[in-house]
């Protein structure tokens, strides 16, 4: 298949492009490079454009006859969304609306959408499955939930087929070590932990040590980026046989606290990692752990990277020799 990968120069999108090509598909990347890196998609077709620019989108569909779209574009920082909500609704909601319009005009009827655990808000159960109430506590999560609603409406009104994949915490890098996670500024835990080992950044901070968890720090479900991309391949297959809008939670089903992540990074790097205890970060729920039983059963998806050390080892390989 030929796939338009919106946000394909970003962290997860660039891994997706690699997986598509490795599996015999063709990828065209649409990206405004606001947080993406052209170095992560060398030699591949890149349309540099913005989802908010309807004309650029329409042209992309005119020039490239694609079978489906994968949509990774977003502003995606929880704390930034608390201080700049309008920017989040504009990019994530209005931008996606433009994309849906352009797809409709071009007659492309299959979409895989990147959603997030942040749509659920404060967890009301130990593990979060698809029946969990969706009550986001930050504008980032709210913007993604709005898109999920738009996709359900587009399915009934226009026959759009979609699979929404709600990632928990994406982590790790391709084992080859030549693409990986690189955000500026970097706010994510694992890159910050590894950067601190390399003496980069302003020193590692642990945000919140008074959460109602075993060691007082936030617990998250870290899922390897290549396990996310394999789920997208399953989603493409799924849409061949299923109409409608479908949503799946993607995680390992296992929570790790911030301190456990630091301990794992110490084992992998062999370094002693110093950190400062800092106040809680706005918008962070205490615990987010996924049940991915539905994805396993209905998509036939099986994550390969289940251990934290194994995931961090792939990220470490990238960070030691970071190329962009
Ligand atoms: N990283 C995570 O842990 C995580 C977890 C849950 C969900 N997600 C979602 O997965 C997706 C990818 O996340 P990521 O970590 O790879 O982010 P990223 O910032 O690395 O990638 C996003 C890409 O989209 C591009 N982009 C953003 N807005 C655009 C626009 N208006 N027009 C064109 N291009 C645009 C950026 O330049 C970038 O290349 C996002 O939708 C994010 O919300 C990420
Ligand atoms: O330098 C740091 C960075 C993070 N944290 C903590 O580590 C945990 C994980 O934070 P981070 O890596 O920033 O991820 P999240 O804020 O959990 O958000 C990620 O995971 C969400 C789903 O769970 C996605 O929606 C988001 O897009 C994605 O960024 C949180 O408790 C943070 O407070 C620190 O203590 N120090």
């Amino acid at each position: 298949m030929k796939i338009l990968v919106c946000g394909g120069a970003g962290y997860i999108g660039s891994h997706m492009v690699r997986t598509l090509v490795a599996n015999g598909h063709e990828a065209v990347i649409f990206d405004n490079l606001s947080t993406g890196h052209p170095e992560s998609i060398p030699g591949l077709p890149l349309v540099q454009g913005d989802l908010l620019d309807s004309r650029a989108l329409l042209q992309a569909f005119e020039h490239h006859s694609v079978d489906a779209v994968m949509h990774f574009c977003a502003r995606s920082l929880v704390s930034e969304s608390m201080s700049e909500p309008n920017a989040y609704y504009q990019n994530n909601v209005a931008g996606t609306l433009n994309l849906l319009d352009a797809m409709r005009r071009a007659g492309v009827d299959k979409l895989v959408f990147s959603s997030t655990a942040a749509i659920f808000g404060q967890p009301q159960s130990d593990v979060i499955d698809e029946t969990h109430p969706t009550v986001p506590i930050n504008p980032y999560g709210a913007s993604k939930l709005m898109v999920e609603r738009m996709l359900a409406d587009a399915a009934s009104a226009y026959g759009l087929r979609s699979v929404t994949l709600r990632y928990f915490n994406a982590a790790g890098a391709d084992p080859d070590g030549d693409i990986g996670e690189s955000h500026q500024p970097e706010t994510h835990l694992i890159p910050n932990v590894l950067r601190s080992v390399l003496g980069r950044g302003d020193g590692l901070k642990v945000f919140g040590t008074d959460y109602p968890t075993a060691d007082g720090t936030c617990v998250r479900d870290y899922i390897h980026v290549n396990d996310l991309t394999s789920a997208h391949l399953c989603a493409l297959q799924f849409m061949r046989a299923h109409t409608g809008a479908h949503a799946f939670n993607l995680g390992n089903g296992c929570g790790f606290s911030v301190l456990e992540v630091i301990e794992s990074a110490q084992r992998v790097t062999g370094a002693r990692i110093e950190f400062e205890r800092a106040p809680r970060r706005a918008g962070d729920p205490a615990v987010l752990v996924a049940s991915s039983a539905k994805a396993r059963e209905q998509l036939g998806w099986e994550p390969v990277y289940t251990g934290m050390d194994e995931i961090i080892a792939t990220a470490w390989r990238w960070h030691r020799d970071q190329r962009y």
Side-chain angles (χ1 to χ4, degrees):
M1 289 172 95
K2 189 167 177 178
I3 313 293
L4 185 71
V5 186
C6 297
Y11 165 46
I12 305 171
S14 60
H15 284 80
M16 186 70 243
V17 167
R18 183 169 284 206
T19 300
L20 284 169
V21 172
N23 283 275
H25 299 286
E26 228 181 304
V28 176
I29 297 120
F30 184 92
D31 200 300
N32 66 4
L33 301 181
S34 55
T35 57
H37 304 273
E39 302 91 324
S40 68
I41 42 162
L44 290 158
L46 166 67
V47 179
Q48 192 172 341
D50 197 304
L51 286 188
L52 293 166
D53 179 352
S54 302
R55 261 191 40 203
L57 264 175
L58 287 173
Q59 278 174 1
F61 281 104
E62 273 165 21
H63 290 154
H64 303 277
S65 173
V66 299
D67 303 296
V69 175
M70 292 184 175
H71 173 23
F72 296 91
C73 300
R75 280 180 173 253
S76 59
L77 301 177
V78 168
S79 59
E80 186 186 60
S81 80
M82 304 290 280
S83 55
E84 288 184 47
N86 288 2
Y88 275 69
Y89 293 117
Q90 185 178 46
N91 199 57
N92 299 359
V93 182
T96 303
L97 195 56
N98 279 349
L99 175 62
L100 297 186
D101 268 342
M103 287 178 67
R104 204 175 144 221
R105 288 211 208 176
V108 177
D109 69 347
K110 294 182 198 69
L111 174 74
V112 188
F113 171 61
S114 307
S115 188
T116 166
I119 64 160
F120 294 111
Q122 292 293 357
Q124 294 170 22
S125 51
D126 289 345
V127 290
I128 298 177
D129 68 14
E130 290 78 3
T131 64
H132 189 284
T134 47
V135 194
I137 59 168
N138 50 59
Y140 166 58
S143 72
K144 292 283 185 173
L145 187 58
M146 286 177 192
V147 172
E148 292 200 18
R149 173 61 199 254
M150 279 158 45
L151 295 180
D153 291 340
S156 14
Y158 313 129
L160 178 75
R161 296 180 183 215
S162 65
V163 170
T164 287
L165 299 175
R166 298 155 171 170
Y167 318 151
F168 282 57
N169 289 55
D174 189 85
D176 281 354
D178 54 355
I179 58 172
E181 186 168 9
S182 174
H183 295 118
Q184 194 54 256
E186 189 52 80
T187 62
H188 293 99
L189 178 63
I190 293 175
N192 279 349
V193 169
L194 297 177
R195 283 161 57 84
S196 81
V197 173
L198 294 162
R200 301 183 195 143
D202 302 330
L204 179 64
K205 291 192 171 72
V206 171
F207 298 125
T209 51
D210 59 347
Y211 283 99
T213 59
D215 64 19
T217 65
C218 284
V219 170
R220 294 287 182 274
D221 182 334
Y222 295 88
I223 169 92
H224 194 273
V225 62
N226 280 357
D227 283 329
L228 293 179
T229 65
S230 73
H232 285 67
L233 290 187
C234 298
L236 278 185
Q237 206 53 38
F238 182 86
M239 285 189 296
R240 289 184 167 189
H242 297 83
T243 57
H246 305 266
F248 300 90
N249 295 355
L250 293 184
N252 259 317
C254 195
F256 290 88
S257 73
V258 174
L259 295 183
E260 285 172 332
V261 168
I262 294 173
E263 281 160 20
S264 167
Q266 294 194 141
R267 284 192 296 276
V268 170
T269 62
R272 185 175 158 69
I273 300 176
E274 307 288 344
F275 59 86
E276 181 190 324
R277 288 165 197 271
R280 291 182 180 197
R281 203 172 62 172
D284 277 348
V287 181
L288 286 172
V289 179
S291 160
S292 299
K294 184 179 169 193
R296 288 167 187 265
E297 281 159 25
Q298 295 189 20
L299 295 180
W301 172 70
E302 199 60 57
V304 172
Y305 297 84
T306 48
M308 179 53 72
D309 290 12
E310 195 187 3
I311 291 175
I312 291 190
T314 65
W316 179 231
R317 208 167 298 155
W318 156 251
H319 280 285
R320 265 186 320 192
D321 187 22
Q322 196 165 342
R323 297 169 190 209
Y324 51 83

